Amino acid sequence: MPGKVIGKSLNLGYPGNISRSADAIIDNRVVKPTDTDNIKFGDPVVLNDDNTYSKFGADGTAATFGGIAVREVKQSTDYFSAQGFYAPGQPCDVATRGSLTVVCNVGTPKAGGSVYVRIATNAGIPDGVIGGFEAAADGANTVEIPNLKWTTGRLDANKVAEVTILTRVNP
């Protein structure tokens, strides 16, 4: 939630936070048990044919975009490290409609602007991470998600920005 305090702007929050709760729809499915990648809070996910979620990776497309992993308070079995992710085999909450905060690795978001997810590396863009959100197109190295728009033009010091999933991704 954006805010200002006497000339100072507050950060937008943590990746994966629901930023406007009135329009949020969240679904829960298991992370594909055979996956090797964890799904971090705020990561884009794909919905698999077997009703599981996986992290949006190099083979992700706009048609397989399943939503964004929601940041949840989780009970930890490991008291010495933070668990800001969903591991393979764990239930995963994913926003399929609404507004969330995510990390924008490349570009400057513009209100109503297009949101891209990187699917291939580019040596010329070292900040680009496969499966990361970006505000600038990079040819065949990024995929535009047409149902996803930058909510505001704000990007805080932690590269956190707000996106809105316009219509429900999954039935």
Side-chain angles (χ1 to χ4, degrees), residues 1-95:
M1 171 185 309
K4 292 191 177 202
V5 178
I6 308 176
K8 292 192 176 220
S9 293
L10 302 176
N11 286 332
L12 297 175
Y14 298 99
N17 276 358
I18 298 289
S19 56
R20 300 172 198 261
S21 60
D23 191 34
I25 296 178
I26 299 170
D27 289 336
N28 185 285
R29 293 183 168 91
V30 172
V31 177
K32 190 170 194 132
T34 56
D35 282 358
T36 56
D37 292 330
N38 295 322
I39 298 174
K40 294 180 189 169
F41 299 154
D43 276 349
V45 302
V46 296
L47 177 60
N48 301 308
D49 291 337
D50 60 358
N51 201 32
T52 60
Y53 286 126
S54 294
K55 183 175 179 173
F56 198 104
D59 56 350
T61 66
T64 61
F65 174 73
I68 299 171
V70 174
R71 182 172 180 259
E72 292 283 344
V73 175
K74 296 174 57 180
Q75 189 168 12
S76 178
T77 54
D78 177 1
Y79 300 104
F80 300 105
S81 63
Q83 290 192 339
F85 59 84
Y86 298 100
Q90 289 183 336
C92 177
D93 285 341
V94 169

Side-chain angles (χ1 to χ4, degrees), residues 20 59 71 76 87 101 105 107 130 157-159 164:
R20 300 172 198 261
D59 56 350
R71 182 172 180 259
S76 178
T101 51
N105 294 313
I130 292 177
N158 299 318
K159 293 187 169 185
T164 299

